[in-house]
Amino acid sequence: MALRRLLSLRGVLGRRSCCSKQPLPPDFVKALRAVVGAPNVSTATVVREQHGHDESMHDCAPPDAVVWPQAVEQVQELAALCHRCHVPMVPFGTGTGLEGGVNAVQGGVCFDLSRMDGITELSLEDFSVMVEPGVTRKALNKHLRGTGLWFPVDPGADASLCGMAATGASGTNAVRYGTMRPNVLNLRVVLPDGRLLHTAGPGRQARWAPGGQEEVGKRARKGPGWVPTSACSPSSCRKRAAGYDLTSLFVGSEGTLGFLTQATLRLHPLPEAVAVTIATFPGVRAAVSCTVQVLQAAVPVARIEFLDEVMVEACSRFSKLELPAAATLLLELHGSRCSLVEQQQQAEEIVRLNGGSSLAWAKEPEERERLWAMRHSAWYAALALRPGCQGYSTDVCVPISRLPDVVVETKQDLQDSGITGPMVGHVGDGNFHCIIVFNTQDLAEAQRVHAFTERLGRRALAAGGTCTGEHGVGLGKRALLREELGQEGLDTLRSIKTALDPHNLMNPGKVL
Amino acid sequence: MALRRLLSLRGVLGRRSCCSKQPLPPDFVKALRAVVGAPNVSTATVVREQHGHDESMHDCAPPDAVVWPQAVEQVQELAALCHRCHVPMVPFGTGTGLEGGVNAVQGGVCFDLSRMDGITELSLEDFSVMVEPGVTRKALNKHLRGTGLWFPVDPGADASLCGMAATGASGTNAVRYGTMRPNVLNLRVVLPDGRLLHTAGPGRQARWAPGGQEEVGKRARKGPGWVPTSACSPSSCRKRAAGYDLTSLFVGSEGTLGFLTQATLRLHPLPEAVAVTIATFPGVRAAVSCTVQVLQAAVPVARIEFLDEVMVEACSRFSKLELPAAATLLLELHGSRCSLVEQQQQAEEIVRLNGGSSLAWAKEPEERERLWAMRHSAWYAALALRPGCQGYSTDVCVPISRLPDVVVETKQDLQDSGITGPMVGHVGDGNFHCIIVFNTQDLAEAQRVHAFTERLGRRALAAGGTCTGEHGVGLGKRALLREELGQEGLDTLRSIKTALDPHNLMNPGKVL
């Protein structure tokens, strides 16, 4: 825990405004119970502590109470109640975040939205579906089985889809299918005061009939009294130029502007054929340069994941595979059978040009699954390098052209600093992680890790990149955010936050 | 002009807050001249009138003065000056908008940004480039010739790219390459008070050196004093989760939040092969259903444009082609030579299944150009149907599943209303236009047109769509915007506007 304390002292992590933490008003818990029923409110220590942290190393900061609303109207009532009493509110999905997004650093009420788990309005024609916050990405894809559609955004963890929208998550498929941002079409948001907002417009019934008729349900094509045949669900159209893009504003807002209580998502057709291969390279630069060239050649790669030799060795041992300990790319291609053949040829040629050698292409689901299981075990494989130590994942993202230099410099920095930090990355997007495994009880080591992560963040910023490609700002990256956006950028974020949450009640202490 | 007056009376268009129009303060023009030099300021009536309208039918509303800044610092100084004196500011690109976005309804200063026309930081590795507001899409694509890259967003007009960002434009290629939104990586914005914001972060120099050294230009990998080797350009990385998405907020803000003085754009590799065909169908529904099926089959179509039989006949006559007067699709496919063959087969089969028949595929640039020239002449071909009349383009967009019904109902409505309104559309996105040609001097006809456009807007909203897919809200769609977003949506837009432009000086009277 030393790093956390150290970083908190430096104002980089934590900054737990404990001093501003207020006890709940008298009878407040009673009022919560009146809204959702006694079984859906808890003030038990163990429950509060479960809800006071995510999967990151940030100190647990338990809320004063946890509530489980079952319907959007309850979320609205609860928010209005908290708003009246100036009690902080923290949205909670699956708690799988990596930057302390759910930690209740100013106490207040944690809204556990996992019991709102409706999947509705699946449209195979529009490639869209509506999900509530209790629906995880695996649950959705299970629901979609047999439809020929899927939701490709995959951050690794089986996170809540609304939580993924809240943090602007992405993962291995983003190079082909995009991050959460282009895949969210509409959001039903409960604002801090309990009002309900649909970011791309609510469902509509005919309300306009200047001729005097209010004829819902009756088709009338002519004259001003035209009304639609039925009420419809919120907008899921693909293109809009109607006012500021509120959907994009709430995606990545990390619970600081409101509760995402439903998301309309864009689905994708399942590829006809899939092939995966592993390619090994003489060095880090060759592997990363190969990635850059694959993109330049416009090979529509679906996943292109990098593992350095330390990571490959760890994964290989952990997953009982026998992979050479070398800089490695894991490539997945999606397409029709015909286009796949062409993609494979192009990819193989570029691998060869960069001095790499590749295994045969795995096309059967089981083989492919085995390779991805290896990649998905990276976190635990890294932790197994130093039993008893803790892990922390960095998350920088840089323009592709700078990726080889930044990766090579970072690798050198890890070695020079004597830090165990195997590297994995969604290099097709310029995004990579060092999974740092260190002894948090060793202050000197914690200090070295801290200095390394700050250098890495600044190295990414200097290369025109970002301190966070997909994990979000949360508690830990607020200082770097200021450097990334500049004072005007930060002031603009603050103006927006103040406009939508004037009392700073929504997930206070995060992002800003 | 009758429709305009009529619509203004009804508060649907216009709402020219003339009463709130103030004269410029004394010596204000002198102060403008002091910033940009006398030759770059004009108060001549003809110049002001040139800048008081776009290509729409909205009444010309001339600004009190026009300025031509040559550098971002001048834009900042001018904005600060206007801000101090509470003078409205209107950004002007090429004036090719369709919703009155540049009309100075409250007077003030028009900032003509066309003389800031730098193209910088072209990166073939990152597929990115930076353009100033004077750069149009054709100028950029000319600049890119020979690089293997292009910028695909194509709204028809040779608009300024920053203007296209400001209105959230799209066009024929959006079904494959997206609208402006995913193709803008960063924006340099001059805020209403003259401050400079980079929406995804500014260029950065090392400023952090807790070790006491401030060593810009010197590489030091170890220790807290690490600094980058050189200053770099603003962020152009593909993925960010660092704070609210300011880039998406300013894209589509229609000049109401600040001046877009530079855009970092995402470029795309030119396709290896391109093929275009025209397919004719027994009816509107068959053509639109064919579109839906092409998308469902995941054919990665680059353009899929619909023209109804009235439009085809008009275009055919105008462009001296001999096309059958039938519901028609114009399809363009992009890909490698191999994948193109496969795409063509798939497309042909779906055309046949819907009772359509297609011409041979045009693969040579000249043939393709001839077909697209026909499509691009649609506006003038429509106007030629009724010489002496004026044109107005509707712009609804609906979910794909609702498109056949909405198009068929709209066509019936046109006939029932006795309105000339040939239909064209980017139907792959669910977006279509009726180019209404009518006699603005005939009040009864103008009234019928007005009633029709309102019914169409509401029909789209009822189908879960939007009143504007790509033209923006501007002056004409503010009433529909309220219905589309609901009161909470509109209130949220207003809160953001007030937070960033508290004195309502940026393009007042638009959107909200």
Side-chain angles (χ1 to χ4, degrees), chain A residues 275-316:
Chain A
V276 181
T277 195
I278 282 188
T280 55
F281 293 83
V284 169
R285 188 178 290 276
V288 180
S289 297
C290 176
T291 307
V292 174
Q293 287 167 31
V294 165
L295 296 175
Q296 283 172 341
V299 181
V301 67
R303 291 168 156 176
I304 185 159
E305 294 283 303
F306 164 73
L307 300 88
D308 74 356
E309 78 281 3
V310 187
M311 192 77 254
V312 170
E313 199 176 2
C315 286
S316 197

Side-chain angles (χ1 to χ4, degrees), chain A residues 58-318:
Chain A
H58 294 284
D59 283 336
C60 178
D64 297 306
V66 179
V67 292
W68 286 265
Q70 327 269 309
V72 65
E73 294 78 12
Q74 291 185 349
V75 180
Q76 291 186 262
E77 268 193 74
L78 291 167
L81 176 64
C82 290
H83 187 256
R84 276 198 303 278
C85 302
H86 282 225
V87 171
M89 299 171 260
V90 183
F92 191 99
T94 53
T96 46
L98 293 171
E99 290 296 343
V102 300
N103 297 33
V105 291
Q106 293 187 19
V109 179
C110 170
F111 286 52
D112 184 327
L113 302 169
S114 60
R115 294 186 193 163
M116 290 172 63
D117 58 357
I119 302 180
T120 52
E121 308 287 339
L122 171 61
S123 168
L124 305 185
E125 284 182 298
D126 295 321
F127 294 16
S128 66
V129 71
M130 279 160 62
V131 295
E132 287 190 317
V135 182
T136 66
R137 65 175 184 87
K138 285 186 184 169
L140 174 61
N141 279 323
K142 196 171 157 197
H143 186 86
L144 293 174
R145 239 174 244 163
T147 63
L149 299 178
W150 70 314
F151 186 73
V153 184
D154 171 7
D158 187 23
S160 152
L161 291 155
C162 287
M164 286 163 60
T167 52
S170 46
T172 54
N173 289 305
V175 63
R176 170 80 170 253
Y177 299 95
T179 65
M180 282 305 280
R181 213 171 294 286
N183 287 296
V184 178
L185 297 170
N186 202 348
L187 288 167
R188 183 183 68 187
V189 179
V190 173
L191 294 168
D193 57 6
R195 283 175 305 140
L196 197 65
L197 167 75
H198 289 86
T199 55
R204 270 167 290 265
Q205 289 185 297
R207 279 165 303 194
W208 180 80
Q213 322 101 293
E214 189 87 28
E215 314 173 78
V216 177
K218 190 173 158 196
R219 180 172 303 204
R221 276 203 200 97
K222 289 203 275 183
W226 185 88
V227 285
T229 47
S230 65
C232 81
S233 51
S235 176
S236 62
C237 78
R238 291 167 171 233
K239 225 174 82 173
R240 295 176 76 246
Y244 312 147
D245 184 358
L246 295 179
T247 307
S248 285
L249 180 64
F250 280 88
V251 172
S253 62
E254 303 190 34
T256 62
L257 300 178
F259 295 94
L260 310 189
T261 63
Q262 189 173 60
T264 306
L265 301 176
R266 185 168 186 162
L267 303 174
H268 296 259
L270 275 169
E272 185 184 322
V274 176
V276 181
T277 195
I278 282 188
T280 55
F281 293 83
V284 169
R285 188 178 290 276
V288 180
S289 297
C290 176
T291 307
V292 174
Q293 287 167 31
V294 165
L295 296 175
Q296 283 172 341
V299 181
V301 67
R303 291 168 156 176
I304 185 159
E305 294 283 303
F306 164 73
L307 300 88
D308 74 356
E309 78 281 3
V310 187
M311 192 77 254
V312 170
E313 199 176 2
C315 286
S316 197
R317 199 181 307 151
F318 191 83

Side-chain angles (χ1 to χ4, degrees), chain B residues 117-179:
Chain B
D117 59 357
I119 302 180
T120 52
E121 309 286 339
L122 170 60
S123 168
L124 305 185
E125 284 183 296
D126 294 322
F127 293 16
S128 65
V129 70
M130 278 158 65
V131 295
E132 288 190 316
V135 182
T136 66
R137 65 175 185 86
K138 285 187 185 169
L140 174 61
N141 280 324
K142 195 172 159 197
H143 185 86
L144 294 174
R145 238 174 246 164
T147 63
L149 298 179
W150 70 314
F151 186 72
V153 184
D154 171 7
D158 187 22
S160 151
L161 291 155
C162 287
M164 286 163 61
T167 51
S170 45
T172 54
N173 289 304
V175 63
R176 170 81 169 254
Y177 299 95
T179 66

Side-chain angles (χ1 to χ4, degrees), chain A residues 123-127 167-168 170-171 174 179 181 191 195-202 204 207-208 219 221-224 226 228 230 232-233 235-246 248-250 252-254 256-257 269 292 295-296 298 336-339 342 397-402 409 412-413 416 426 428-429 431 454-455 458-459 461-473 481 483-486 488-489 491-493 495-497 499-500 511-512, chain B residues 123-127 167-168 170-171 174 179 181 191 195-202 204 207-208 219 221-224 226 228 230 232-233 235-246 248-250 252-254 256-257 269 292 295-296 298 336-339 342 397-402 409 412-413 416 426 428-429 431 454-455 458-459 461-473 481 483-486 488-489 491-493 495-497 499-500 511-512:
Chain A
S123 168
L124 305 185
E125 284 182 298
D126 295 321
F127 294 16
T167 52
S170 46
T179 65
R181 213 171 294 286
L191 294 168
R195 283 175 305 140
L196 197 65
L197 167 75
H198 289 86
T199 55
R204 270 167 290 265
R207 279 165 303 194
W208 180 80
R219 180 172 303 204
R221 276 203 200 97
K222 289 203 275 183
W226 185 88
S230 65
C232 81
S233 51
S235 176
S236 62
C237 78
R238 291 167 171 233
K239 225 174 82 173
R240 295 176 76 246
Y244 312 147
D245 184 358
L246 295 179
S248 285
L249 180 64
F250 280 88
S253 62
E254 303 190 34
T256 62
L257 300 178
V292 174
L295 296 175
Q296 283 172 341
S336 64
R337 276 174 222 295
C338 155
S339 78
E342 191 181 31
C397 185
V398 297
I400 303 291
S401 65
R402 306 299 303 271
E409 283 182 25
Q412 186 65 47
D413 194 352
D416 293 349
H426 320 305
D429 297 310
N431 185 203
E454 292 225 324
R455 282 197 301 279
R458 296 199 167 92
R459 187 178 299 127
L461 296 190
T466 173
C467 65
T468 175
E470 57 183 19
H471 295 171
V473 175
L481 181 67
E483 291 181 36
E484 182 164 338
L485 286 182
E488 289 73 19
D491 288 347
T492 306
L493 295 196
S495 304
I496 293 168
K497 166 75 171 171
L500 302 188
V511 183
L512 291 164
Chain B
S123 168
L124 305 185
E125 284 183 296
D126 294 322
F127 293 16
T167 51
S170 45
T179 66
R181 214 172 292 286
L191 294 169
R195 284 175 305 139
L196 197 65
L197 167 74
H198 289 86
T199 55
R204 270 168 290 268
R207 279 165 302 194
W208 181 79
R219 180 172 303 202
R221 273 203 202 99
K222 289 203 276 184
W226 184 88
S230 65
C232 81
S233 51
S235 177
S236 63
C237 77
R238 290 165 172 236
K239 226 173 82 173
R240 296 177 73 246
Y244 312 147
D245 184 358
L246 295 179
S248 286
L249 180 64
F250 280 87
S253 61
E254 304 190 33
T256 63
L257 300 178
V292 174
L295 296 175
Q296 284 172 341
S336 64
R337 275 173 222 296
C338 157
S339 79
E342 192 181 29
C397 184
V398 297
I400 303 291
S401 66
R402 306 297 304 273
E409 284 182 25
Q412 185 64 48
D413 194 351
D416 294 349
H426 320 307
D429 298 310
N431 185 203
E454 293 225 322
R455 281 196 302 279
R458 296 201 166 91
R459 187 178 298 126
L461 297 189
T466 173
C467 66
T468 175
E470 56 184 19
H471 295 171
V473 175
L481 181 67
E483 291 180 36
E484 181 163 339
L485 287 180
E488 289 73 19
D491 288 346
T492 305
L493 295 196
S495 303
I496 294 169
K497 165 75 172 172
L500 302 188
V511 183
L512 291 163

Side-chain angles (χ1 to χ4, degrees), chain B residues 67-144:
Chain B
V67 292
W68 286 266
Q70 327 269 312
V72 64
E73 294 78 12
Q74 291 184 348
V75 181
Q76 290 186 263
E77 268 193 74
L78 291 167
L81 174 64
C82 290
H83 187 256
R84 276 197 305 277
C85 303
H86 281 226
V87 171
M89 298 171 261
V90 183
F92 191 99
T94 52
T96 47
L98 293 170
E99 290 296 344
V102 301
N103 298 34
V105 291
Q106 294 186 17
V109 179
C110 170
F111 286 53
D112 183 326
L113 302 169
S114 60
R115 294 185 193 164
M116 291 172 63
D117 59 357
I119 302 180
T120 52
E121 309 286 339
L122 170 60
S123 168
L124 305 185
E125 284 183 296
D126 294 322
F127 293 16
S128 65
V129 70
M130 278 158 65
V131 295
E132 288 190 316
V135 182
T136 66
R137 65 175 185 86
K138 285 187 185 169
L140 174 61
N141 280 324
K142 195 172 159 197
H143 185 86
L144 294 174

Side-chain angles (χ1 to χ4, degrees), chain B residues 4 16 48-53 57-62 103-104:
Chain B
R4 275 185 259 159
R16 283 187 56 178
R48 294 190 298 109
E49 284 187 347
Q50 271 168 4
H51 286 82
H53 65 90
M57 303 194 317
H58 294 284
D59 282 337
C60 178
N103 298 34

